Structures are given as structure tokens and as C-alpha cells.
Amino acid sequence: MLGKKLVTAQKRGETRALCLGLGMVACSMMMYFFIGITIVPFYTKSVWTTEALCKVLKANIEDKVLCPDSEGSEDEDVFSYPCLQVWVNLTASGQEVMLYQTEDTLERNPKCSYVPDKLENSKEVKARIETIASNFKKYHTFPCYYDPGGTQTNVILSRLYPPKGLLFAFLWPTLMFTGGCLIIVLVKISQYVSVLSAWQ
């Protein structure tokens, strides 16, 4: 009687562990799919792949500009902010080019090096842009990214999704997938050992 109860409890535990392993594998596959349709296209589309040194030539704050939040947006989606323009000397080619914060900055407003968040307060935006301009004037040389193919003549300060960030995004689903597979393998080994012991 006790033996039957132990066998029943063992089978329930194996079933639960097997469901856990399959659930972890399924969740990791969903995470892979989500990363593949969101982060990977932005990473592959970016042409600013080579790192170089940039030397600041000038950092000026121009008059306020209007920036629509998206194409075809309404008037309430348009906000104004001081336009910071940073020109640098790209040491790799010796050219004078304009610096942008990220790839997204160029798409949102190619006239300015920095595009603030629409939800920020106007005074905070002005203070932040002045701080950024002073930092560029203070630190003349810094690493930046440029397009080695020459399709884009400008440079960016940082990539939205660098290789390390992409690897970190794939780390958690990989760990979950490995853990799920390990649980499934251990359950199958346990079942095999139980069957072998019963046969003997």
C-alpha cells in the first residue's frame, strides 16, 4: 500500500516537473519571437557599426524648432524645444560631420543633435540641453559611431541596441530554454531509471 502511494506521488511529481519544463521552453520561444520582431530589426537596420573618436568643433543652441511626434500627427502632438547642433571632426576620415544622440534622433529631427521627450517640462528641457552643450564643450574627445559604408555621412553618440545589449536580451530566454530542457531531460532519466528498476 505504501509502495503504491510512493509511486503515485512520484508520477505526480514527474508530471508537474515535465509541465514546468515544457512551460519554460514555450515561454523562452515566445521571448525569442518577441525579440526577433522588435529588437533585431532595429539592430540590423543600423549602419553606424564602427566605433571611432570624435572631436567637438562646435556645439550651438539654435532657436526653438517644432518637432512632430510622428508623421501625419495632429497639432497637439507637436512640441517646441531649443535645437542643439553639435559638429564634430571624425578622426577616422577627418571630415566635419554632425553628431546625433542615437539612430532615432536622426529620424525624429535631422536638424538637431538631441531630441527631448515630449512629456518633459519646457524649463527642464532647456536646462538639460544647456547642460548637454556644456558637457560637449568640456569633453572635447569621445567615442562615437559612424557608417563605414558611407551611406550616412553623420555620426551618432550611442547605438540604441549595441551588440552587448542584443546579447543581454537573448541571455534570459536562453537560460530559461536551457533550464526547461534540463528539467525535461532529468524527468525522462528518472522515468527510465524507475522503469528499469521495476523490470529488474
Side-chain angles (χ1 to χ4, degrees), residues 134-155:
S134 63
N135 287 336
F136 276 120
K137 294 175 182 178
K138 182 178 180 181
Y139 303 100
H140 295 283
T141 305
F142 51 86
C144 59
Y145 295 91
Y146 73 99
D147 175 19
T151 56
Q152 292 286 347
T153 56
N154 42 60
V155 296

Side-chain angles (χ1 to χ4, degrees), residues 106-135:
L106 179 61
E107 293 182 1
R108 293 179 64 186
N109 190 355
K111 296 181 180 179
C112 304
S113 299
Y114 173 76
V115 178
D117 187 3
K118 175 190 170 186
L119 300 178
E120 291 180 302
N121 185 278
S122 58
K123 293 183 179 179
E124 294 178 355
V125 169
K126 183 179 179 181
R128 177 174 296 184
I129 291 177
E130 290 176 351
T131 303
I132 294 174
S134 63
N135 287 336

Side-chain angles (χ1 to χ4, degrees), residues 19-33:
C19 291
L20 175 62
L22 292 174
M24 291 175 66
V25 170
C27 289
S28 64
M29 297 304 293
M30 292 176 62
M31 292 174 67
Y32 278 129
F33 176 75

Side-chain angles (χ1 to χ4, degrees), residues 36-52:
I37 63 175
T38 55
I39 298 178
V40 173
F42 285 104
Y43 175 79
T44 56
K45 189 174 68 172
S46 177
V47 295
W48 296 270
T49 56
T50 305
E51 185 174 346

Side-chain angles (χ1 to χ4, degrees), residues 2-194:
L2 181 61
K4 290 182 178 180
K5 289 183 178 180
L6 290 175
V7 171
T8 303
Q10 183 180 4
K11 288 183 177 180
R12 288 179 179 175
E14 290 175 349
T15 303
R16 291 173 181 174
L18 190 61
C19 291
L20 175 62
L22 292 174
M24 291 175 66
V25 170
C27 289
S28 64
M29 297 304 293
M30 292 176 62
M31 292 174 67
Y32 278 129
F33 176 75
F34 179 77
I35 294 172
I37 63 175
T38 55
I39 298 178
V40 173
F42 285 104
Y43 175 79
T44 56
K45 189 174 68 172
S46 177
V47 295
W48 296 270
T49 56
T50 305
E51 185 174 346
L53 286 178
C54 287
K55 295 182 179 180
V56 176
L57 298 176
K58 54 183 176 180
N60 301 325
I61 299 178
E62 305 295 334
D63 295 334
K64 287 189 175 182
V65 295
L66 296 177
C67 179
D69 199 34
S70 61
E71 292 184 2
S73 58
E74 301 296 334
D75 291 339
E76 59 268 16
D77 294 329
V78 179
F79 66 103
S80 61
Y81 56 91
C83 182
L84 173 64
Q85 294 182 346
V86 180
W87 293 88
V88 297
N89 182 4
L90 182 61
T91 56
S93 62
Q95 295 178 333
E96 180 180 341
V97 294
M98 188 169 178
L99 174 73
Y100 295 94
Q101 184 184 13
T102 61
E103 301 95 329
D104 184 58
T105 307
L106 179 61
E107 293 182 1
R108 293 179 64 186
N109 190 355
K111 296 181 180 179
C112 304
S113 299
Y114 173 76
V115 178
D117 187 3
K118 175 190 170 186
L119 300 178
E120 291 180 302
N121 185 278
S122 58
K123 293 183 179 179
E124 294 178 355
V125 169
K126 183 179 179 181
R128 177 174 296 184
I129 291 177
E130 290 176 351
T131 303
I132 294 174
S134 63
N135 287 336
F136 276 120
K137 294 175 182 178
K138 182 178 180 181
Y139 303 100
H140 295 283
T141 305
F142 51 86
C144 59
Y145 295 91
Y146 73 99
D147 175 19
T151 56
Q152 292 286 347
T153 56
N154 42 60
V155 296
I156 60 174
L157 182 62
S158 60
R159 300 180 64 182
L160 284 174
Y161 300 104
K164 290 183 179 180
L166 190 66
L167 291 175
F168 184 77
F170 278 106
L171 175 63
W172 295 111
T174 301
L175 292 176
M176 184 178 292
F177 180 80
T178 304
C181 291
L182 184 61
I183 291 175
I184 294 173
V185 170
L186 290 176
V187 170
K188 291 300 181 181
I189 292 175
S190 175
Q191 290 176 346
Y192 175 76
V193 171
S194 298

